[in-house]
Amino acid sequence: MTDIDQPDSDRLSRFLLQTAGVRGVRVHLRDAWQAVRANGPYPPAIEEMLGEACVASALFTGHAKVDGRLSVQLRAPGPMRTLFAECTAAGTIRGIARFDGDGADVSRDLRALGDDALLAITIENPSPHREPNRYQGLVALTAESLSGAFEDYFRQSEQLPTRVLLAVDGDEAAGLMLQKLPGDEGDEDGWNRASLLFDTLSTAELLRWPTETLLSRLFPEDAPEVLGARDLSFGCSCSKARVEEMLVSLGAEEARAAVVDGQAQVICEFCGRHYAFSAAEIDQLLETPETDVEVSNRLH
């Protein structure tokens, strides 16, 4: 087995640098990322950003309390209209990008996406009430890369020094996040030392090395300890019930207008699954009291 044949692909690993007082998360995606990018083709800049967003959505579930889902969404006024990635508590990942034209004009530099471009990180956790508990943080795009934008987010929202490195190369995507533990844990120079070592890691090494190898080579003096790991996979939360809810929300006129040649066809943008409803089924949905329609947690 070569370095590239990672035993921990499609996996999230949480670790601790005890002597430095630093916690971290490492994510590596292969099959899950290939399933996401299969919804393309995407131009290179957009594909790279989408892969990084998918990795980031998983990375952030490593420390945040996520019982439902965590999503990363970039919205911009120019040709890069939206970029969306999501990781659930069950470890399923999905993502999509929407852009104008062939996307060739989309810059890899986030600062070129426009003054109104925003990056949102949203956590939705289930609640006993109808609507989920929802927390959203917004980031102005003053950094060149998604890694820098996410570091800005954690510095502003949690006041915790955080480092993020994201990498995408064809069929693979990976990420590493370090965060200083709250309080005075670790030695006096722990965070500075870990951050300097972090800067020596190349994207090629991040993509190639298994987690244990990466930690032992990067932080040999800080006794890295893997605290736990979980598998990640591509997964879509679309369902017939969610599509029914969407059709009802359109209103009677628009829902009935969706029927062409006897059927309303709905295709999930994330996974490509087809849903078909006859005119009679549409009428039945519209006549069903709202309280009888299964309510789902809308993504965005």
Side-chain angles (χ1 to χ4, degrees):
M1 178 179 289
T2 65
D3 278 344
I4 197 68
D5 296 319
Q6 295 202 29
D8 56 355
S9 289
D10 293 299
R11 199 160 177 80
L12 177 153
S13 301
R14 295 170 51 251
F15 62 89
L16 180 68
L17 305 178
Q18 184 69 55
T19 56
V22 173
R23 62 184 181 182
V25 184
R26 194 285 176 109
V27 164
H28 188 278
L29 302 178
R30 183 178 296 169
D31 292 346
W33 165 232
Q34 290 177 30
V36 171
R37 69 194 288 250
N39 283 318
Y42 296 111
I46 293 177
E47 180 173 285
E48 187 175 355
M49 285 192 287
L50 179 59
E52 290 180 354
C54 288
V55 169
S57 70
L59 274 178
F60 303 155
T61 67
H63 293 318
K65 179 174 174 52
V66 179
D67 298 322
R69 65 193 71 200
L70 184 150
S71 65
V72 171
Q73 185 170 18
L74 187 156
R75 291 183 177 177
M80 177 74 245
R81 290 189 283 121
T82 187
L83 185 81
F84 179 87
E86 170 193 87
C87 183
T88 69
T92 60
I93 291 172
R94 65 178 187 168
I96 198 167
R98 286 289 173 259
F99 51 93
D100 293 330
D102 61 6
D105 294 335
V106 175
S107 173
R108 187 65 184 82
D109 187 338
L110 299 184
R111 297 168 297 185
L113 295 180
D115 294 338
D116 295 329
L118 280 176
L119 186 63
I121 298 175
T122 307
I123 297 176
E124 290 187 359
N125 288 326
S127 76
H129 309 294
R130 180 166 175 168
E131 294 297 324
N133 293 320
R134 190 169 185 266
Y135 167 80
Q136 184 175 75
L138 300 176
V139 190
L141 298 182
T142 57
E144 177 182 356
S145 66
L146 280 176
S147 294
F150 290 130
E151 290 182 354
D152 289 344
Y153 167 79
F154 283 103
R155 185 165 50 249
Q156 295 166 14
S157 67
E158 297 189 13
Q159 287 79 53
L160 284 176
T162 302
R163 300 300 311 275
V164 178
L165 180 63
L166 304 168
V168 178
D169 183 13
D171 291 339
E172 295 185 298
L176 181 69
M177 181 172 75
L178 296 184
Q179 196 166 63
K180 189 179 187 305
L181 287 169
D184 298 323
E185 297 189 44
D187 60 57
E188 184 177 348
D189 193 48
W191 172 253
N192 290 333
R193 181 174 65 252
S195 186
L196 288 172
L197 291 170
F198 179 93
D199 285 333
T200 68
L201 181 67
S202 70
T203 55
E205 292 165 340
L206 175 61
L207 287 159
R208 186 177 72 249
W209 288 346
T211 299
E212 295 278 3
T213 303
L214 187 153
L215 295 179
S216 62
R217 292 188 183 185
L218 195 60
F219 307 109
E221 299 179 5
D222 286 302
E225 176 187 359
V226 176
L227 301 177
R230 62 186 176 105
D231 293 333
L232 301 168
S233 63
F234 174 78
C236 189
S237 58
C238 72
S239 66
K240 186 176 181 180
R242 284 174 177 256
V243 176
E244 289 174 348
E245 181 191 354
M246 180 273 293
L247 289 168
V248 171
S249 71
L250 293 176
E253 182 177 354
E254 193 170 346
R256 291 191 172 103
V259 177
V260 178
D261 296 329
Q263 282 191 327
Q265 299 276 351
V266 179
I267 302 175
C268 177
E269 294 181 315
F270 291 92
C271 67
R273 184 176 176 182
H274 287 66
Y275 297 89
F277 298 85
S278 67
E281 288 174 319
I282 295 290
D283 288 338
Q284 184 178 1
L285 279 175
L286 295 172
E287 293 168 2
T288 302
E290 184 178 351
T291 54
D292 291 343
V293 177
E294 182 178 339
V295 176
S296 61
N297 294 337
R298 301 293 294 275
L299 283 179
H300 59 287

